[in-house]
Amino acid sequence: MSNGNSPEDERPIEDVSHDVPEDVSEEARPSVGRALQQARIAAGLTVDDISTATRVRIAIVHAIEADDFTPCGGDVYARGHIRTLAKAVGIDPAELVARFDAEHGGRPAPTPAAPLFEAERIRPERRGPNWTAAMVAAIVAVIGFVGFTFVKGGTDGGSEASVAEGAEPTAGESGSSTAKPKKPADPKPDPSDGAIAAAPQDKVTVKVSASDGRSWISAKDHNGRLLFDGLLKQGDSKTFQDSEKVNLVLGDAGAVQLYVNGKKIEDDFQPGSVERLTYTKGDPQVG
């Protein structure tokens, strides 16, 4: 279980900026962990919600928010966790990663590529006669010569026969000698938004619209495979479809509007409430 199941129980520590000199503006900014914690609380999410959405363990989320990156297992993993958590709470991950690098000795220099190019440059070139290319060229020449001879002979000897025998072709002969072109198969129509709007009966279709504000959402199919995990800004929408059911987690359920299997869901979700919902095929029903 988590010690932070309620965003209200994780209020930020009282501001002590009056103890910091006014000229130290850089140090007055919140730390990496504190910035992630404040953004999570502002989004109305608990540590459990973030852990479920990002698959980062609860203990590691607590440690990072306390600026303890030891449980991450190294700076590389710490950077990855910071990016993942920042995206989940809707803040810029690049700024937090840069601040982490500045506080932990900077980002490691990339491996120089010079030895790789040097190895390619000094590799001994062993070139001999390209017998394969020569054989291909010879075969092509022979085929070309035979084809030219055949076409020329057929033109000289066959043109007169065609004039003598085919000067007055009958309707039957004309029809039998002319190959009928095959009708091309109709291309399979591509799926479109109209198909989703039609809400097929053999699938469950869920549309989430952030109509009244932004909200973090997570969607999974019946196998538990993650379909989407992120923040919907006001006015954005996402549509999910599965053969059996769609599982949803809404970070701010009061800010979204749901349409399930082509029908609008009338709900009384409160602003800031976190809702876990499951919808199946047929008439909209919560599982």
Side-chain angles (χ1 to χ4, degrees):
M1 291 185 63
S2 166
N3 293 328
N5 287 332
S6 174
E8 289 79 8
D9 294 337
E10 295 177 341
R11 300 181 179 89
I13 300 174
E14 293 183 359
D15 186 9
V16 292
S17 58
H18 60 275
D19 296 331
V20 181
E22 294 182 357
D23 57 344
V24 191
S25 59
E26 181 67 22
E27 296 181 359
R29 293 189 306 171
S31 62
V32 173
R34 177 58 59 83
L36 289 171
Q37 183 188 52
Q38 291 176 347
R40 173 179 60 77
I41 295 173
L45 303 175
T46 66
V47 173
D48 281 341
D49 296 331
I50 293 297
S51 178
T52 300
T54 63
R55 299 184 181 180
V56 178
R57 289 181 298 176
I58 292 175
I60 294 180
V61 176
H62 277 298
I64 291 176
E65 289 189 353
D67 291 310
D68 179 9
F69 302 97
T70 303
C72 296
D75 290 351
V76 174
Y77 295 103
R79 293 185 186 93
H81 289 328
I82 292 171
R83 290 190 186 94
T84 301
L85 297 180
K87 291 178 181 178
V89 298
I91 59 177
D92 183 14
E95 180 180 352
L96 292 185
V97 171
R99 194 181 310 172
F100 173 84
D101 290 338
E103 295 173 357
H104 293 79
R107 187 178 184 86
T111 303
L116 217 55
F117 290 107
E118 185 67 17
E120 290 290 335
R121 187 180 66 82
I122 64 176
R123 180 185 297 176
E125 296 183 359
R126 299 175 59 186
R127 294 185 178 179
N130 193 341
W131 296 110
T132 302
M135 291 178 62
V136 171
I139 292 173
V140 171
V142 171
I143 293 175
F145 177 77
V146 172
F148 174 78
T149 303
F150 178 80
V151 171
K152 183 177 181 181
T155 303
D156 294 339
S159 59
E160 295 179 0
S162 65
V163 171
E165 298 175 2
E168 295 180 359
T170 62
E173 291 174 347
S174 175
S176 61
S177 62
T178 304
K180 294 182 179 180
K182 294 182 178 180
K183 183 180 180 180
D186 295 334
K188 186 177 181 181
D190 295 331
S192 63
D193 293 339
I196 296 176
Q201 297 297 321
D202 59 339
K203 294 183 180 181
V204 54
T205 305
V206 178
K207 179 180 178 181
V208 183
S209 298
S211 56
D212 297 327
R214 67 176 189 172
S215 174
W216 166 84
I217 68 170
S218 174
K220 296 180 181 179
D221 62 11
H222 73 281
N223 290 321
R225 183 173 63 91
L226 190 64
L227 302 175
F228 177 79
D229 178 72
L231 192 71
L232 281 187
K233 297 181 180 179
Q234 185 172 6
D236 292 347
S237 63
K238 286 286 183 181
T239 301
F240 311 105
Q241 197 172 76
D242 187 64
S243 60
E244 295 184 15
K245 65 180 179 180
V246 173
N247 299 309
L248 291 177
V249 179
L250 307 178
D252 185 355
V256 304
Q257 179 63 60
L258 297 177
Y259 299 85
V260 180
N261 300 332
K263 294 183 179 181
K264 182 178 179 181
I265 301 299
E266 301 296 340
D267 56 63
D268 56 352
F269 298 145
Q270 298 300 316
S273 64
V274 178
E275 297 288 341
R276 291 176 172 83
L277 308 170
T278 299
Y279 290 102
T280 57
K281 295 181 289 186
D283 288 337
Q285 56 182 341
V286 180

